[in-house]
mmCIF file of all heavy atoms in Angstrom:
data_model
loop_
_atom_site.group_PDB
_atom_site.id
_atom_site.type_symbol
_atom_site.label_atom_id
_atom_site.label_comp_id
_atom_site.label_asym_id
_atom_site.label_seq_id
_atom_site.Cartn_x
_atom_site.Cartn_y
_atom_site.Cartn_z
ATOM 1 N N VAL C 1 19.880 141.797 -154.560
ATOM 2 C CA VAL C 1 19.748 141.601 -155.931
ATOM 3 C C VAL C 1 18.779 142.559 -156.640
ATOM 4 O O VAL C 1 19.104 143.170 -157.564
ATOM 5 C CB VAL C 1 19.469 140.127 -156.174
ATOM 6 C CG1 VAL C 1 19.028 139.888 -157.676
ATOM 7 C CG2 VAL C 1 20.699 139.244 -155.880
ATOM 8 N N PRO C 2 17.506 142.664 -156.082
ATOM 9 C CA PRO C 2 16.592 143.598 -156.736
ATOM 10 C C PRO C 2 17.168 145.040 -156.681
ATOM 11 O O PRO C 2 16.997 145.768 -157.560
ATOM 12 C CB PRO C 2 15.318 143.466 -155.795
ATOM 13 C CG PRO C 2 15.384 142.060 -155.355
ATOM 14 C CD PRO C 2 16.843 141.749 -155.216
ATOM 15 N N PHE C 3 17.894 145.347 -155.586
ATOM 16 C CA PHE C 3 18.439 146.710 -155.450
ATOM 17 C C PHE C 3 19.447 146.945 -156.601
ATOM 18 O O PHE C 3 19.515 147.925 -157.187
ATOM 19 C CB PHE C 3 19.242 146.788 -154.117
ATOM 20 C CG PHE C 3 20.292 147.850 -154.015
ATOM 21 C CD1 PHE C 3 19.843 149.214 -153.779
ATOM 22 C CD2 PHE C 3 21.557 147.620 -154.211
ATOM 23 C CE1 PHE C 3 20.796 150.193 -153.772
ATOM 24 C CE2 PHE C 3 22.532 148.619 -154.189
ATOM 25 C CZ PHE C 3 22.127 149.942 -154.009
ATOM 26 N N ALA C 4 20.312 145.896 -156.761
ATOM 27 C CA ALA C 4 21.365 145.995 -157.924
ATOM 28 C C ALA C 4 20.711 146.008 -159.220
ATOM 29 O O ALA C 4 21.317 146.484 -160.258
ATOM 30 C CB ALA C 4 22.317 144.825 -157.690
ATOM 31 N N LEU C 5 19.497 145.514 -159.410
ATOM 32 C CA LEU C 5 18.754 145.578 -160.716
ATOM 33 C C LEU C 5 17.932 146.769 -160.817
ATOM 34 O O LEU C 5 17.047 146.841 -161.767
ATOM 35 C CB LEU C 5 17.914 144.335 -160.797
ATOM 36 C CG LEU C 5 18.747 142.973 -160.945
ATOM 37 C CD1 LEU C 5 17.900 141.808 -160.793
ATOM 38 C CD2 LEU C 5 19.558 143.042 -162.246
ATOM 39 N N GLY C 6 18.056 147.796 -160.003
ATOM 40 C CA GLY C 6 17.507 149.049 -160.077
ATOM 41 C C GLY C 6 16.209 149.365 -159.300
ATOM 42 O O GLY C 6 15.701 150.564 -159.414
ATOM 43 N N GLN C 7 15.786 148.566 -158.431
ATOM 44 C CA GLN C 7 14.613 148.798 -157.580
ATOM 45 C C GLN C 7 15.085 149.482 -156.235
ATOM 46 O O GLN C 7 16.086 149.093 -155.634
ATOM 47 C CB GLN C 7 13.759 147.558 -157.305
ATOM 48 C CG GLN C 7 12.692 147.431 -158.233
ATOM 49 C CD GLN C 7 11.718 146.331 -157.844
ATOM 50 O OE1 GLN C 7 12.194 145.106 -157.969
ATOM 51 N NE2 GLN C 7 10.520 146.587 -157.411
ATOM 52 N N LYS C 8 14.366 150.440 -155.847
ATOM 53 C CA LYS C 8 14.681 151.058 -154.472
ATOM 54 C C LYS C 8 14.235 150.083 -153.486
ATOM 55 O O LYS C 8 13.094 149.574 -153.530
ATOM 56 C CB LYS C 8 13.961 152.410 -154.345
ATOM 57 C CG LYS C 8 14.262 153.124 -153.164
ATOM 58 C CD LYS C 8 13.542 154.433 -153.034
ATOM 59 C CE LYS C 8 13.958 155.104 -151.682
ATOM 60 N NZ LYS C 8 13.215 156.443 -151.498
ATOM 61 N N VAL C 9 14.994 149.774 -152.472
ATOM 62 C CA VAL C 9 14.703 148.909 -151.409
ATOM 63 C C VAL C 9 14.763 149.654 -150.095
ATOM 64 O O VAL C 9 15.900 150.178 -149.795
ATOM 65 C CB VAL C 9 15.472 147.591 -151.488
ATOM 66 C CG1 VAL C 9 15.031 146.676 -150.254
ATOM 67 C CG2 VAL C 9 15.469 146.867 -152.750
ATOM 68 N N GLU C 10 13.758 149.730 -149.352
ATOM 69 C CA GLU C 10 13.756 150.320 -147.920
ATOM 70 C C GLU C 10 13.263 149.381 -147.008
ATOM 71 O O GLU C 10 12.201 148.780 -147.102
ATOM 72 C CB GLU C 10 12.930 151.592 -148.028
ATOM 73 C CG GLU C 10 13.057 152.441 -146.799
ATOM 74 C CD GLU C 10 12.320 153.691 -146.964
ATOM 75 O OE1 GLU C 10 11.466 153.943 -147.972
ATOM 76 O OE2 GLU C 10 12.260 154.581 -146.035
ATOM 77 N N PHE C 11 13.959 149.428 -145.779
ATOM 78 C CA PHE C 11 13.458 148.612 -144.686
ATOM 79 C C PHE C 11 12.856 149.422 -143.502
ATOM 80 O O PHE C 11 13.506 150.409 -143.157
ATOM 81 C CB PHE C 11 14.709 147.715 -144.028
ATOM 82 C CG PHE C 11 15.000 146.609 -144.864
ATOM 83 C CD1 PHE C 11 15.879 146.787 -145.980
ATOM 84 C CD2 PHE C 11 14.600 145.434 -144.645
ATOM 85 C CE1 PHE C 11 16.288 145.822 -146.884
ATOM 86 C CE2 PHE C 11 15.059 144.208 -145.443
ATOM 87 C CZ PHE C 11 15.841 144.441 -146.577
ATOM 88 N N VAL C 12 11.630 149.271 -143.283
ATOM 89 C CA VAL C 12 10.841 149.996 -142.377
ATOM 90 C C VAL C 12 10.628 149.267 -141.093
ATOM 91 O O VAL C 12 10.166 148.173 -141.043
ATOM 92 C CB VAL C 12 9.571 150.495 -142.929
ATOM 93 C CG1 VAL C 12 8.785 151.406 -141.963
ATOM 94 C CG2 VAL C 12 9.753 151.295 -144.279
ATOM 95 N N ASN C 13 10.824 149.912 -139.982
ATOM 96 C CA ASN C 13 10.603 149.208 -138.692
ATOM 97 C C ASN C 13 9.287 148.724 -138.479
ATOM 98 O O ASN C 13 8.312 149.472 -138.883
ATOM 99 C CB ASN C 13 11.015 150.212 -137.464
ATOM 100 C CG ASN C 13 12.446 150.318 -137.351
ATOM 101 O OD1 ASN C 13 13.272 149.583 -137.735
ATOM 102 N ND2 ASN C 13 12.861 151.486 -136.658
ATOM 103 N N ASN C 14 9.104 147.474 -137.978
ATOM 104 C CA ASN C 14 7.806 146.865 -137.742
ATOM 105 C C ASN C 14 7.031 146.661 -139.004
ATOM 106 O O ASN C 14 5.808 146.467 -138.997
ATOM 107 C CB ASN C 14 7.041 147.684 -136.688
ATOM 108 C CG ASN C 14 7.722 147.813 -135.369
ATOM 109 O OD1 ASN C 14 8.282 146.878 -134.930
ATOM 110 N ND2 ASN C 14 7.786 149.002 -134.847
ATOM 111 N N HIS C 15 7.568 146.811 -140.185
ATOM 112 C CA HIS C 15 6.914 146.583 -141.470
ATOM 113 C C HIS C 15 7.637 145.640 -142.420
ATOM 114 O O HIS C 15 6.932 144.905 -143.167
ATOM 115 C CB HIS C 15 6.712 147.980 -142.131
ATOM 116 C CG HIS C 15 5.768 147.898 -143.257
ATOM 117 N ND1 HIS C 15 6.210 147.469 -144.571
ATOM 118 C CD2 HIS C 15 4.424 148.161 -143.425
ATOM 119 C CE1 HIS C 15 5.111 147.483 -145.424
ATOM 120 N NE2 HIS C 15 4.029 147.957 -144.731
ATOM 121 N N GLY C 16 8.947 145.690 -142.463
ATOM 122 C CA GLY C 16 9.756 144.893 -143.326
ATOM 123 C C GLY C 16 10.156 145.644 -144.523
ATOM 124 O O GLY C 16 9.994 146.920 -144.588
ATOM 125 N N PRO C 17 10.511 145.018 -145.561
ATOM 126 C CA PRO C 17 11.076 145.727 -146.728
ATOM 127 C C PRO C 17 9.915 146.309 -147.644
ATOM 128 O O PRO C 17 8.891 145.667 -147.809
ATOM 129 C CB PRO C 17 11.870 144.637 -147.499
ATOM 130 C CG PRO C 17 11.229 143.382 -146.983
ATOM 131 C CD PRO C 17 10.688 143.540 -145.682
ATOM 132 N N ILE C 18 10.216 147.406 -148.148
ATOM 133 C CA ILE C 18 9.336 148.118 -149.187
ATOM 134 C C ILE C 18 10.072 148.371 -150.444
ATOM 135 O O ILE C 18 11.157 148.992 -150.347
ATOM 136 C CB ILE C 18 8.711 149.383 -148.540
ATOM 137 C CG1 ILE C 18 7.878 149.109 -147.338
ATOM 138 C CG2 ILE C 18 7.938 150.128 -149.587
ATOM 139 C CD1 ILE C 18 7.308 150.368 -146.607
ATOM 140 N N LEU C 19 9.513 147.832 -151.507
ATOM 141 C CA LEU C 19 10.335 148.103 -152.837
ATOM 142 C C LEU C 19 9.525 149.074 -153.684
ATOM 143 O O LEU C 19 8.252 149.045 -153.662
ATOM 144 C CB LEU C 19 10.514 146.787 -153.526
ATOM 145 C CG LEU C 19 11.671 145.819 -153.208
ATOM 146 C CD1 LEU C 19 11.575 145.347 -151.727
ATOM 147 C CD2 LEU C 19 11.836 144.776 -154.179
ATOM 148 N N SER C 20 10.228 149.918 -154.394
ATOM 149 C CA SER C 20 9.505 150.752 -155.276
ATOM 150 C C SER C 20 8.708 150.018 -156.432
ATOM 151 O O SER C 20 9.053 148.808 -156.582
ATOM 152 C CB SER C 20 10.611 151.635 -155.966
ATOM 153 O OG SER C 20 11.488 150.988 -156.786
ATOM 154 N N ASP C 21 7.932 150.634 -157.180
ATOM 155 C CA ASP C 21 7.127 150.028 -158.182
ATOM 156 C C ASP C 21 8.051 149.323 -159.213
ATOM 157 O O ASP C 21 9.092 149.943 -159.595
ATOM 158 C CB ASP C 21 6.256 150.892 -158.928
ATOM 159 C CG ASP C 21 4.998 151.456 -158.043
ATOM 160 O OD1 ASP C 21 4.855 150.773 -157.017
ATOM 161 O OD2 ASP C 21 4.508 152.547 -158.270
ATOM 162 N N PHE C 22 7.704 148.162 -159.610
ATOM 163 C CA PHE C 22 8.609 147.478 -160.652
ATOM 164 C C PHE C 22 8.350 148.045 -162.071
ATOM 165 O O PHE C 22 7.272 148.274 -162.320
ATOM 166 C CB PHE C 22 8.211 145.909 -160.599
ATOM 167 C CG PHE C 22 9.034 145.096 -161.497
ATOM 168 C CD1 PHE C 22 10.262 144.706 -161.228
ATOM 169 C CD2 PHE C 22 8.393 144.732 -162.847
ATOM 170 C CE1 PHE C 22 10.998 143.872 -162.038
ATOM 171 C CE2 PHE C 22 9.235 143.983 -163.646
ATOM 172 C CZ PHE C 22 10.441 143.599 -163.261
ATOM 173 N N ASN C 23 9.518 148.191 -162.719
ATOM 174 C CA ASN C 23 9.564 148.680 -164.088
ATOM 175 C C ASN C 23 10.301 147.665 -164.800
ATOM 176 O O ASN C 23 11.443 147.438 -164.771
ATOM 177 C CB ASN C 23 10.339 150.045 -164.024
ATOM 178 C CG ASN C 23 10.337 150.719 -165.414
ATOM 179 O OD1 ASN C 23 10.638 150.008 -166.430
ATOM 180 N ND2 ASN C 23 10.047 152.007 -165.391
ATOM 181 N N LEU C 24 9.392 146.999 -165.668
ATOM 182 C CA LEU C 24 10.004 145.853 -166.524
ATOM 183 C C LEU C 24 11.023 146.376 -167.499
ATOM 184 O O LEU C 24 12.099 145.717 -167.697
ATOM 185 C CB LEU C 24 8.900 145.303 -167.321
ATOM 186 C CG LEU C 24 9.221 144.019 -168.272
ATOM 187 C CD1 LEU C 24 9.817 142.954 -167.322
ATOM 188 C CD2 LEU C 24 8.180 143.520 -169.107
ATOM 189 N N LYS C 25 10.898 147.601 -168.169
ATOM 190 C CA LYS C 25 11.917 148.087 -169.083
ATOM 191 C C LYS C 25 13.196 148.263 -168.393
ATOM 192 O O LYS C 25 14.318 147.927 -168.883
ATOM 193 C CB LYS C 25 11.469 149.259 -169.779
ATOM 194 C CG LYS C 25 12.319 149.886 -170.764
ATOM 195 C CD LYS C 25 11.874 151.129 -171.400
ATOM 196 C CE LYS C 25 12.892 151.582 -172.510
ATOM 197 N NZ LYS C 25 14.149 151.785 -172.009
ATOM 198 N N LEU C 26 13.201 148.850 -167.186
ATOM 199 C CA LEU C 26 14.369 149.165 -166.351
ATOM 200 C C LEU C 26 15.015 147.867 -166.011
ATOM 201 O O LEU C 26 16.244 147.660 -166.116
ATOM 202 C CB LEU C 26 14.008 150.024 -165.089
ATOM 203 C CG LEU C 26 15.183 150.285 -164.158
ATOM 204 C CD1 LEU C 26 16.236 151.168 -164.833
ATOM 205 C CD2 LEU C 26 14.600 150.846 -162.942
ATOM 206 N N PHE C 27 14.252 146.888 -165.573
ATOM 207 C CA PHE C 27 14.726 145.544 -165.230
ATOM 208 C C PHE C 27 15.428 144.899 -166.422
ATOM 209 O O PHE C 27 16.541 144.345 -166.206
ATOM 210 C CB PHE C 27 13.576 144.671 -164.788
ATOM 211 C CG PHE C 27 13.908 143.282 -164.466
ATOM 212 C CD1 PHE C 27 14.606 142.869 -163.261
ATOM 213 C CD2 PHE C 27 13.516 142.258 -165.434
ATOM 214 C CE1 PHE C 27 14.920 141.662 -163.055
ATOM 215 C CE2 PHE C 27 13.888 140.903 -165.165
ATOM 216 C CZ PHE C 27 14.688 140.628 -163.937
ATOM 217 N N LEU C 28 14.864 144.919 -167.614
ATOM 218 C CA LEU C 28 15.523 144.279 -168.764
ATOM 219 C C LEU C 28 16.644 145.013 -169.258
ATOM 220 O O LEU C 28 17.511 144.459 -170.006
ATOM 221 C CB LEU C 28 14.354 144.092 -169.898
ATOM 222 C CG LEU C 28 13.178 143.246 -169.538
ATOM 223 C CD1 LEU C 28 12.178 143.240 -170.622
ATOM 224 C CD2 LEU C 28 13.630 141.836 -169.289
ATOM 225 N N ASP C 29 16.824 146.311 -169.027
ATOM 226 C CA ASP C 29 17.917 147.052 -169.475
ATOM 227 C C ASP C 29 19.234 146.878 -168.588
ATOM 228 O O ASP C 29 20.217 147.449 -168.869
ATOM 229 C CB ASP C 29 17.565 148.576 -169.378
ATOM 230 C CG ASP C 29 16.712 149.091 -170.572
ATOM 231 O OD1 ASP C 29 16.626 148.264 -171.527
ATOM 232 O OD2 ASP C 29 16.106 150.149 -170.489
ATOM 233 N N ASN C 30 19.233 146.059 -167.603
ATOM 234 C CA ASN C 30 20.351 145.769 -166.841
ATOM 235 C C ASN C 30 21.271 144.991 -167.555
ATOM 236 O O ASN C 30 20.959 144.291 -168.543
ATOM 237 C CB ASN C 30 19.824 144.955 -165.435
ATOM 238 C CG ASN C 30 19.378 145.887 -164.469
ATOM 239 O OD1 ASN C 30 20.044 146.692 -163.771
ATOM 240 N ND2 ASN C 30 18.074 145.845 -164.321
ATOM 241 N N ASP C 31 22.656 144.945 -167.073
ATOM 242 C CA ASP C 31 23.592 144.221 -167.622
ATOM 243 C C ASP C 31 24.528 143.605 -166.639
ATOM 244 O O ASP C 31 24.523 144.171 -165.427
ATOM 245 C CB ASP C 31 24.412 144.948 -168.763
ATOM 246 C CG ASP C 31 25.156 146.174 -168.058
ATOM 247 O OD1 ASP C 31 26.124 145.934 -167.546
ATOM 248 O OD2 ASP C 31 24.573 147.269 -168.180
#
């Protein structure tokens, strides 16, 4: 869901998911 809303999501071994910095404008611009 965050991926589809514009955030980059990466899964790193032995670390778990890492998401790019959140951008509120980008988030609100989704449809």
Side-chain angles (χ1 to χ4, degrees):
V1 167
F3 163 80
L5 292 172
Q7 266 186 290
K8 182 179 179 182
V9 181
E10 185 179 4
F11 287 80
V12 179
N13 284 339
N14 302 318
H15 189 282
I18 297 177
L19 278 67
S20 61
D21 290 341
F22 180 76
N23 184 312
L24 182 60
K25 183 179 184 304
L26 179 64
F27 174 76
L28 295 176
D29 282 345
N30 280 287
D31 62 82

